[in-house]
Amino acid sequence: MNFNATLIGQMITFAVFVWFCMKYIWPPLMHALEERKAKIADGLAAAERGQKDLELAQARVTDNLKEAKVQAQEIINQAHKRANEMVDEAKEVAREEADKIKAAASADIEQQINSAREHLRKEVAAIAIAGTEQILKREVNAEAHGKVIDDMMAQI
Amino acid sequence: MAGSYETSGEYIKHHLTNLTFGYTEEHGWGIAHGADEIKEMGFWAINIDSMAFSIGLGVLFLWWFRKIAKAATTETPTGWQNFIEMLCEFIDSSVRGSFSGRNPLIAPLSLTIFVWVFLLNLMDLIAVDLVPWLASLVGIPYLKIVPTTDPNITFGLALTVFILVLYYSVKIKGPGGFFAELAFHPFPKFMMPINLLLEGVTLIAKPISLALRLFGNMYAGEMIFILIALMYGGGWILGIFGGFLQLGWAIFHILIITLQAFIFMTLTIVYLDMASQEPH
């Protein structure tokens, strides 16, 4: 073991190398590492936030869906009701119409019956007068016996 | 390769000699030709090979990491950026686990130690004869390519760490607090000399053990590679056997070099943490 000036040379070299490493190598490397660490942490936090947002959105979607279903049901119910109402209304209108037609028809019939009766009565009266004339062989004065004829006609 | 040497002892000795530049009476300033001249050069000589590989690998490490650090983005990391970031996170978590205070120096220091020492150790996995043989072709007589088998290098690292330990001890505990820790510790105050002796040994043992552990492991590993390489000169059967041994030892050595780099780093963190503890 010969000690010589190599010892001092090595010490100086070592000191210079350590200084260089401390000044130019370690800080940028550590800086990059720290920055990346922060970036990854941020990324993870963002991912977590995204996950949470997604969950919230999904919950909202479910709520909306439920609400929409309820609304749709309501609309359907209303439509059903409305349809029933319309059917009822239509029925009502139809019935009224039918009643009206019926009434008109019966009035018509009544009138015809009356007119027929009137006609018949007149005819019967004429036949009766003619018969009576035959029986009596003489002329019946319609004017003189008008009253009697009217009574008879009223009885028919 | 061992065949070109007179004896296997000479071969081993040659492999364990540094390329040293220094002053001798005989040749003046120049490169030493053998261990005796290195001894004669004394302290004011420099191991060119250790320094060159040490600085070269250190610069490679810094250049490479700087390139990645400049390009580092917060996007998905790819390729080497991924690897280096993983390494940095590993070291950062080691520092956070062992170092209780806050000190911006510790983590870069640990990174430098870990990667640099690992690279220095890694040179051990290059075939022992290859680079010295290539160097001998261009006229370089000696070349030790694993800087951590040179105690100068490991002690250089450990002493720098030790200086930091002393600096932070004095800075954070105050001179009085540091002295109190050394003098009043295991036994009561009246046995101060014994305390000083015990704690002083503990303190001094830190850098020495740090340096010798790394040096010892790497030197022994290199030695075994050299011994295995000697077998190639012993005929076919020994050569094939040596090949298998080399492969096995190299695989095992991958573990050792990583472990030694990690231990050096961890102990540095622990020592500096102890130095930075507030007095209680």
Side-chain angles (χ1 to χ4, degrees):
Chain A
M1 295 222 287
N2 294 298
F3 284 106
N4 58 28
T6 312
L7 185 71
I8 296 168
Q10 175 72 2
M11 286 169 78
I12 295 167
T13 312
F14 186 33
V16 171
F17 284 178
V18 169
W19 168 81
F20 186 88
C21 184
M22 190 174 147
K23 191 107 182 164
Y24 297 110
I25 292 175
W26 191 259
L29 275 173
M30 276 297 125
H31 184 68
L33 285 180
E34 292 296 324
E35 224 165 71
R36 181 165 329 123
K37 224 179 263 175
K39 212 168 140 185
I40 290 170
D42 283 355
L44 285 179
E48 207 163 300
R49 227 172 20 243
Q51 190 74 28
K52 228 170 245 170
D53 283 354
L54 180 66
E55 267 167 34
L56 279 177
Q58 268 172 346
R60 224 176 17 238
V61 165
T62 317
D63 280 358
N64 283 355
L65 216 62
K66 232 182 247 170
E67 213 170 289
K69 264 184 195 163
V70 169
Q71 272 182 352
Q73 198 57 48
E74 232 165 64
I75 289 169
I76 290 170
N77 286 348
Q78 272 180 353
H80 272 305
K81 221 162 96 186
R82 184 87 189 94
N84 285 343
E85 274 174 12
M86 274 164 75
V87 170
D88 284 350
E89 251 170 54
K91 270 184 190 163
E92 198 61 39
V93 169
R95 196 181 297 132
E96 273 171 20
E97 198 70 23
D99 284 353
K100 249 188 230 165
I101 292 167
K102 234 196 280 174
S106 43
D108 206 19
I109 292 167
E110 193 78 23
Q111 210 183 342
Q112 278 187 13
I113 290 173
N114 282 345
S115 79
R117 194 178 278 158
E118 201 62 36
H119 188 71
L120 211 58
R121 195 182 288 158
K122 274 182 186 154
E123 225 144 86
V124 169
I127 292 168
I129 291 169
T132 315
E133 270 177 357
Q134 293 280 321
I135 297 165
L136 297 179
K137 293 286 189 194
R138 58 173 174 149
E139 194 186 339
V140 176
N141 192 349
E143 274 167 27
H145 305 283
K147 180 117 174 62
V148 180
I149 294 167
D150 280 346
D151 285 349
M152 265 168 60
M153 268 167 76
Q155 275 170 13
I156 294 167
Chain B
M1 207 74 45
S4 57
Y5 296 92
E6 299 264 313
T7 62
S8 46
E10 196 189 323
Y11 171 76
I12 295 172
K13 214 168 162 188
H14 181 264
H15 269 290
L16 295 177
T17 307
N18 280 111
L19 182 71
T20 309
F21 181 85
Y23 182 81
T24 52
E25 294 280 320
E26 200 179 330
H27 302 288
W29 287 101
I31 287 169
H33 302 279
D36 296 335
E37 282 192 12
I38 291 176
K39 204 158 267 176
E40 197 196 324
M41 285 172 178
F43 186 77
W44 292 110
I46 192 151
N47 296 338
I48 296 171
D49 48 359
S50 295
M51 275 327 294
F53 279 104
S54 163
I55 293 173
L57 289 168
V59 168
L60 182 75
F61 147 62
L62 292 175
W63 167 78
W64 183 34
F65 273 57
R66 174 70 187 150
K67 205 178 101 181
I68 299 289
K70 263 202 298 197
T73 58
T74 54
E75 303 304 313
T76 313
T78 50
W80 285 113
Q81 193 197 339
N82 210 350
F83 169 74
I84 283 172
E85 283 182 0
M86 210 179 71
L87 199 64
C88 284
E89 286 215 307
F90 162 69
I91 282 166
D92 197 43
S93 65
S94 290
V95 172
R96 272 174 217 277
S98 306
F99 192 81
S100 49
R102 281 188 57 81
N103 188 337
L105 173 70
I106 304 300
L109 175 74
S110 307
L111 178 70
T112 311
I113 288 177
F114 183 69
V115 180
W116 196 22
V117 170
F118 176 78
L119 287 175
L120 298 184
N121 292 348
L122 191 67
M123 298 304 288
D124 216 357
L125 293 179
I126 296 173
V128 278
D129 281 318
L130 180 65
V131 182
W133 175 68
L134 289 175
S136 72
L137 291 182
V138 292
I140 296 170
Y142 298 100
L143 194 66
K144 252 174 92 175
I145 62 163
V146 192
T148 40
T149 56
D150 181 351
N152 286 303
I153 297 296
T154 60
F155 272 95
L157 292 168
L159 282 179
T160 314
V161 170
F162 186 56
I163 289 169
L164 283 175
V165 167
L166 292 181
Y167 171 71
Y168 282 114
S169 292
V170 172
K171 187 186 168 196
I172 290 170
K173 300 180 216 284
F178 186 39
F179 179 75
E181 196 184 66
L182 293 177
F184 307 144
H185 196 38
F187 302 116
K189 280 184 186 177
F190 62 89
M191 294 177 84
M192 201 172 84
I194 298 175
N195 288 340
L196 269 180
L197 187 70
L198 284 173
E199 290 291 315
V201 168
T202 312
L203 188 69
I204 301 298
K206 283 175 187 172
I208 293 178
S209 66
L210 205 55
L212 285 182
R213 181 182 301 108
L214 181 59
F215 166 69
N217 271 284
M218 299 319 296
Y219 192 78
E222 176 79 348
M223 196 72 182
I224 288 172
F225 274 123
I226 293 172
L227 291 176
I228 291 170
L230 268 180
M231 296 172 81
Y232 296 134
W236 272 102
I237 298 169
L238 260 183
I240 291 168
F241 182 59
F244 280 112
L245 271 183
Q246 170 141 25
L247 181 69
W249 182 243
I251 291 170
F252 183 57
H253 217 58
I254 294 172
L255 180 70
I256 294 180
I257 60 177
T258 318
L259 196 65
Q260 286 306 320
F262 178 69
I263 289 173
F264 202 108
M265 178 194 85
T266 307
L267 285 177
T268 302
I269 299 171
V270 170
Y271 291 158
L272 284 170
D273 180 50
M274 283 158 75
S276 306
Q277 293 291 346
E278 293 285 334
H280 35 245

